[in-house]
Amino acid sequence: FGNPRDTWDYWQRWHEQYMDVSVAPVIQLWSQRPRDLLTVRQEARRYGSQPIVCLSNPAKMTAALWGTRLTTACSLIRQACGASTHIHLLGAGWSPTDVLLYRQCTDLSSLDSITYYLAAQRGERWCSCASCHDTATPWSTVALHHARVLLRP
């Protein structure tokens, strides 16, 4: 979306129409200000107490570009949404190296990356299991294996 106001409006409408179906809020940042901590604070306060919050990674930002602001953003979210809030980063990493760098941010609870899928579609295999090296294995299965390889402790 790239517009925090629109994201908030969509979230509110969802809750009005489907009250009994829980959906995690997404803290969306302006694409022109992708590391704006004021927006993170405002949006987190707007959503209030939440068990899970997603943080959108705008503009294909690398972990290096976020720097320490990512840790600060997580802190602001937990201050507003709850100390035990699970923070999921949407769009974390555009290469295997970048995903590994995002994993070093211990304030994130989880992350996802399109890298798993793009590499699988290109025919890359990061896993040594027989399933991944079988040409009949669908790329979507290989992508899940990619995620497991990078997310392994």
Side-chain angles (χ1 to χ4, degrees):
F1 297 148
N3 184 326
R5 289 184 197 116
D6 287 348
T7 303
W8 168 254
D9 288 342
Y10 292 131
W11 189 77
Q12 277 190 306
R13 276 189 258 151
W14 175 272
H15 281 279
E16 289 168 5
Q17 292 178 349
Y18 310 102
M19 288 182 202
D20 50 339
V21 179
S22 181
V23 64
V26 176
I27 294 181
Q28 187 73 246
L29 299 170
W30 300 101
S31 55
Q32 344 43 311
R33 296 188 321 253
R35 295 174 294 162
D36 181 20
L37 295 176
L38 179 60
T39 300
V40 171
R41 177 181 288 142
Q42 289 172 333
E43 293 305 298
R45 286 179 176 167
R46 184 185 303 211
Y47 288 113
S49 180
Q50 297 290 330
I52 300 171
V53 171
C54 296
L55 175 61
S56 180
N57 184 20
K60 298 182 180 180
M61 293 234 317
T62 64
L65 280 174
W66 267 105
T68 58
R69 284 180 179 242
L70 184 55
T71 298
T72 304
C74 290
S75 178
L76 293 170
I77 292 167
R78 288 203 173 94
Q79 285 171 15
C81 300
S84 62
T85 298
H86 179 103
I87 300 173
H88 179 79
L89 184 64
L90 299 167
W94 298 89
S95 70
T97 302
D98 201 35
V99 172
L100 292 172
L101 288 172
Y102 272 112
R103 282 194 57 221
Q104 292 177 8
C105 180
T106 57
D107 294 303
L108 291 172
S109 307
S110 59
L111 52 89
D112 65 57
S113 173
I114 196 167
T115 299
Y116 314 137
Y117 303 99
L118 295 177
Q121 287 175 329
R122 286 191 302 264
E124 293 178 25
R125 300 298 185 256
W126 304 344
C127 179
S128 59
C129 76
S131 176
C132 282
H133 290 280
D134 180 349
T135 56
T137 302
W139 69 265
S140 55
T141 300
V142 175
L144 290 172
H145 283 234
H146 286 178
R148 287 187 199 117
V149 166
L150 287 182
L151 297 179
R152 235 179 247 148

